[in-house]
Amino acid sequence: MPADQRPRFGGLVSEGGIRFAAWSQAARRLWVSIFDEQGNQEIERLELQPEGEGVHALFVAGLGPGTRYGFRADGDYAPDRGLWFDPEKMLIDPYALGIDRPYAYDWRLTRRRGEGLDTAPLMPKAIAAALPKPVPAAPPLFQPGGLIYEVPVRAFTMLHPGIPEKLRGTVAALAHPVVIEHLKKLGVSAVELMPVTASIDERHLPPLGLRNAWGYNPVTFMALDPRLAPGGIMELRNAVAALRQAGIGVILDLVFNHTGESDRLGPTLSLRGFDNQAYYRHTPDGRLANDTGTGNTVACDHPIAGEMVLDTLRHFVRDAGVDGFRFDLAPILGRVEGTFDAEAPLLKAMGEDALLADRVLIAEPWDIGPDGYQLGSFPPPFLEWNDKYRDDIRRFWRGDAGMVGALATRLAGSSDVFAANGQSASRTVNFIAAHDGMTLADIVRYERKHNQANGEQNRDGHNENLSWNNGVEGDADKPAVATARLNDQHALLATLFASRGTIMLTAGDEFGRSQQGNNNAYAQDNAITWLDWAGRDQALEHYTILLSTLRRAVPALSDTRFLTGRPPADSDIADVAWLTETGAPLDQQSWQDPQRHRLVMILGGDSDDERRLAVLINGDRRACTFTLPAREGFSWEPAIAETADIERPVSGRTVIFMIECAAAQAGTGEKRNGGR
């Protein structure tokens, strides 16, 4: 299908009426149910006509934008054979562009056929929409090497005092000047919005009085959640435009690996009722495959499912203007008959599509299926979340033995992962904390998870977090503990901003947000996850801004090319040198010393500015005097003026940035700040 062509399925508004079209290879009959303006009363039920190859469609004259509708399907009902047809189940259009109310879990949605319940009153209705003119084509603002800022829309804005109350918790709030000002101060290249498409709570949450606050449990893929975007696609489009005007791109975190229909005990909401055998993968014995840990797995290798994924991506590019996408449990998109294949048709189609080929594509490169860990295996231009970076940086700053070599590899772009097949640039997305797991502040406050609020007796979430508490678990009123924790946060942030390749910071980690040790806060739509703007650590936030300013001023930090240890063609200065604290090159014995916790990385400048940048890392708890190699005509000065220099011993658990300045300019404010 040409990239500029609209999807062939859904409630397609045209002059004079609406064409309703859906796909099912196994259904014998399909109907469209038309509802009143409130979406409560079914006023007409019309049978779709088979058009061949699984397409069922009907043009209904006289209907227009705003029409509420749903589908029904009939055929064999044999769950043991993967057949779930039941005309009493009202089905949401997989191509719905909007819904009139949020999805709400109700156990009655799981009833078996023949138990006498029409589920229409329990379901939202799709809203037929006349789409606006496409957003004018423009290349993405985000470029690899930039700073991605992961944003949970609701939690990010709920407590912000500068945002009007009526906007809090919504996508529209992201366009507010106070939000844009914060993002610009941080030097954010793109915000990565955690799912804003409509999702449903897992069945165990309502009895606990909880709801899914993250949104990683979709039913359909295009409709935005009315709680997050009551203005629908235009609300997202306007927010994208406002952020883009400020120089900030938007990346959507999308979930194509599973849906909220869950396992065979789950509700029938959409794909299951249309054609369960086609839309979901099954094991050889007929059970739903569960490579996601959520009960089902979308069969992305089925042509009709792949078409739906591509149509969704095109929709958000064409109609909202987003820079790109992050894919949750991305190996699912590349599984062909259950096995991951980097050349899978869907992955290739993304890279070859005229509308998608230049978009930012980011993979979370693991699922829980066979050979589900695929870090480094996605084809360019996919960027990949790098959990090896996360774990190695945490291990180093926790004080684990023998981590200096791993630290250097992660600082340099993880060539051990991404340099295969002759690739010259890293596709890493470096991060220390993300939505899933402990916050950056909690990494240095808690040795153990504290997930009791989730109602699962602290059984959920990872047990090993590579975290430490600096002597006291949780809150502490000892000044020495507070100082140690602050120093550790400084060190973790400085390491992130000193790392080659793309970096990602989760919203609030720049000012010390805590989730009280909860490392799986997906069900906490409350103060545990809502960012405390009034109580934020403004000094830590200021330090993060300084780090970001330095990173933008020194291209060597955000460069994605792998380091070689040799001078580039236009310079006589090596692109990197790895030194001990005495200024000597690290030899094999030093690299392998399990007790070594100190490292110096010196990055060469570019052809326009050959000043070197030194990153001094003291992971020991003892202070240390560092010596840097001298160069005639230059002297070393702090690259961030508000931090210590090396004229006195560098304290323990610290990262210091030093930059070369021409001797005549040493000590000037501009040069001390690393300005160009």
Side-chain angles (χ1 to χ4, degrees):
M1 182 176 70
D4 59 348
Q5 182 178 328
R6 293 290 185 178
R8 56 188 179 132
F9 299 115
L12 308 173
V13 177
S14 62
E15 187 174 350
I18 299 176
R19 172 183 162 86
F20 296 98
W23 185 92
S24 178
Q25 193 75 54
R28 285 194 290 269
R29 302 175 70 187
L30 268 74
W31 297 266
V32 61
S33 292
I34 309 299
F35 291 83
D36 62 12
E37 292 183 1
Q38 290 72 42
N40 296 327
Q41 185 70 36
E42 184 177 358
I43 58 178
E44 198 166 12
R45 187 179 302 187
L46 305 168
E47 186 166 0
L48 277 59
Q49 301 303 309
E51 294 187 345
E53 298 185 345
V55 178
H56 301 251
L58 181 70
F59 181 81
V60 183
L63 299 180
T67 297
R68 268 66 169 169
Y69 71 96
F71 289 111
R72 299 177 188 271
D74 196 10
D76 291 340
Y77 183 81
D80 289 341
R81 294 190 286 119
L83 299 169
W84 292 81
F85 293 109
D86 181 355
E88 291 188 324
K89 295 289 195 299
M90 215 280 291
L91 306 176
I92 288 289
D93 180 3
Y95 276 73
L97 300 177
I99 56 176
D100 66 351
R101 67 202 76 175
Y103 294 110
Y105 179 83
D106 190 302
W107 69 270
R108 291 173 291 176
L109 295 167
T110 70
R111 279 186 170 180
R112 298 174 67 85
R113 180 168 179 160
E115 294 184 351
L117 176 71
D118 184 342
T119 62
L122 306 176
M123 294 286 289
K125 311 306 181 296
I127 305 174
L131 289 171
K133 291 183 179 180
V135 174
L141 291 175
F142 176 82
Q143 296 297 317
L147 168 60
I148 294 173
Y149 189 68
E150 188 188 34
V151 177
V153 170
R154 182 169 168 83
F156 182 66
T157 59
M158 281 298 290
L159 298 180
H160 198 303
I163 298 174
E165 285 192 27
K166 65 180 181 180
L167 291 181
R168 293 179 189 175
T170 70
V171 169
L174 301 178
H176 194 279
V178 296
V179 172
I180 291 177
E181 179 186 8
H182 181 73
L183 298 175
K184 290 183 70 174
K185 284 195 304 182
L186 280 177
V188 170
S189 306
V191 291
E192 181 178 294
L193 305 185
M194 288 170 59
V196 294
T197 54
S199 64
I200 192 169
D201 292 332
E202 292 83 354
R203 60 178 175 261
H204 70 280
L205 293 181
L208 296 172
L210 301 173
R211 61 173 295 263
N212 190 316
W214 285 353
Y216 290 96
N217 202 36
V219 178
T220 47
F221 301 134
M222 300 186 195
L224 300 179
D225 197 303
R227 295 166 294 191
L228 297 176
I233 191 65
M234 287 305 299
E235 181 170 339
L236 177 61
R237 178 174 175 145
N238 292 337
V240 170
L243 289 162
R244 187 176 182 88
Q245 188 174 14
I248 301 165
V250 174
I251 296 168
L252 297 183
D253 191 342
L254 297 179
V255 182
F256 292 118
N257 56 76
H258 80 282
T259 77
E261 291 183 305
S262 188
D263 55 24
R264 62 176 293 148
L265 300 179
T268 297
L269 308 169
S270 184
L271 301 182
R272 172 176 290 169
F274 279 103
D275 199 325
N276 179 70
Q277 291 177 324
Y279 281 112
Y280 296 116
R281 285 206 311 104
H282 291 74
T283 60
D285 61 2
R287 293 179 295 110
L288 286 164
N290 188 19
D291 294 340
T292 60
T294 60
N296 63 42
T297 304
V298 175
C300 289
D301 54 342
H302 192 289
I304 203 68
E307 179 178 344
M308 181 172 57
V309 170
L310 293 171
D311 282 339
T312 302
L313 301 181
R314 294 179 188 125
H315 166 59
F316 285 122
V317 173
R318 180 193 297 114
D319 299 316
V322 301
D323 269 17
F325 309 95
R326 181 262 187 188
F327 300 104
D328 182 66
L329 301 185
I332 301 296
L333 280 71
R335 285 190 179 273
V336 178
E337 297 182 356
T339 301
F340 178 79
D341 182 357
E343 298 296 317
L346 181 54
L347 299 181
K348 291 184 67 175
M350 290 181 190
E352 296 171 355
D353 188 271
L355 199 59
L356 305 176
D358 68 342
R359 295 298 103 177
V360 181
L361 303 175
I362 303 174
E364 180 186 38
W366 48 80
D367 62 35
I368 67 166
D371 296 320
Y373 187 72
Q374 293 293 335
L375 179 64
S377 298
F378 281 76
F382 271 90
L383 304 178
E384 301 183 34
W385 273 29
N386 188 351
D387 64 326
K388 287 188 175 180
Y389 177 94
R390 175 198 66 196
D391 293 351
D392 284 345
I393 300 305
R394 291 191 189 187
R395 286 189 177 100
F396 175 82
W397 286 109
R398 188 173 64 173
D400 290 16
M403 293 304 299
V404 163
L407 171 66
T409 300
R410 304 298 159 232
L411 286 168
S414 296
S415 60
D416 60 328
V417 175
F418 297 105
N421 302 319
Q423 296 180 45
S424 61
S426 180
R427 296 182 292 105
T428 184
V429 176
N430 299 319
F431 67 102
I432 293 169
H435 68 271
D436 186 6
M438 286 190 175
T439 70
L440 188 140
D442 285 353
I443 290 168
V444 304
R445 292 165 57 93
Y446 297 92
E447 281 190 355
R448 304 178 303 278
K449 66 182 183 181
H450 295 268
N451 297 356
Q452 288 82 1
N454 296 350
E456 299 182 44
Q457 291 76 51
N458 207 35
R459 293 192 301 265
D460 62 308
H462 292 293
N463 291 320
E464 176 53 82
N465 296 278
L466 304 175
S467 59
W468 59 100
N469 61 21
N470 279 288
V472 178
E473 187 75 359
D475 293 338
D477 56 7
K478 297 180 179 180
V481 173
T483 298
R485 290 173 174 175
L486 181 60
N487 289 344
D488 285 351
Q489 289 180 78
H490 277 85
L492 288 165
L493 286 166
T495 305
L496 178 65
F497 280 85
S499 300
R500 302 268 287 193
T502 299
I503 63 173
M504 186 184 77
L505 184 70
T506 296
D509 280 351
E510 70 273 21
F511 52 69
R513 73 180 179 108
S514 173
Q515 291 177 172
Q516 302 170 30
N518 193 320
N519 74 351
N520 189 34
Y522 76 103
Q524 301 301 323
D525 182 20
N526 49 46
I528 291 178
T529 57
W530 295 353
L531 270 63
D532 180 10
W533 290 91
R536 71 191 194 275
D537 186 335
Q538 296 187 46
L540 183 62
E541 178 182 328
H542 178 64
Y543 179 66
T544 307
I545 292 170
L546 293 177
L547 290 172
S548 183
T549 301
L550 174 64
R551 183 177 173 87
R552 296 194 305 277
V554 181
L557 290 175
S558 57
D559 199 328
T560 62
R561 292 173 295 179
F562 291 120
L563 296 167
T564 66
R566 301 184 300 273
D570 55 357
S571 174
D572 58 358
I573 300 174
D575 59 5
V576 69
W578 303 102
L579 310 177
T580 68
E581 62 273 22
T582 65
L586 278 119
D587 55 23
Q588 185 174 2
Q589 182 177 354
S590 297
W591 281 118
Q592 296 177 350
D593 181 358
Q595 300 308 313
R596 169 160 288 282
H597 300 283
R598 298 185 180 115
L599 178 69
V600 176
M601 176 177 71
I602 298 184
L603 297 173
D606 56 34
S607 57
D608 296 325
D609 185 347
E610 291 201 342
R611 292 182 299 165
R612 296 179 294 174
L613 179 80
V615 183
L616 285 59
I617 299 173
N618 185 6
D620 202 302
R621 294 194 177 275
R622 298 165 296 177
C624 173
T625 299
F626 280 79
T627 301
L628 294 178
R631 188 158 62 111
E632 186 176 355
F634 290 85
S635 63
W636 291 102
E637 295 284 327
I640 297 176
E642 299 179 26
T643 61
D645 55 30
I646 55 172
E647 294 176 359
R648 53 186 177 274
V650 173
S651 62
R653 314 282 290 175
T654 301
V655 178
I656 300 293
F657 295 87
M658 304 293 293
I659 196 164
E660 281 187 323
C661 295
Q665 297 171 326
T668 65
E670 178 185 358
K671 294 298 180 181
R672 288 175 65 89
N673 282 294
R676 286 289 188 249

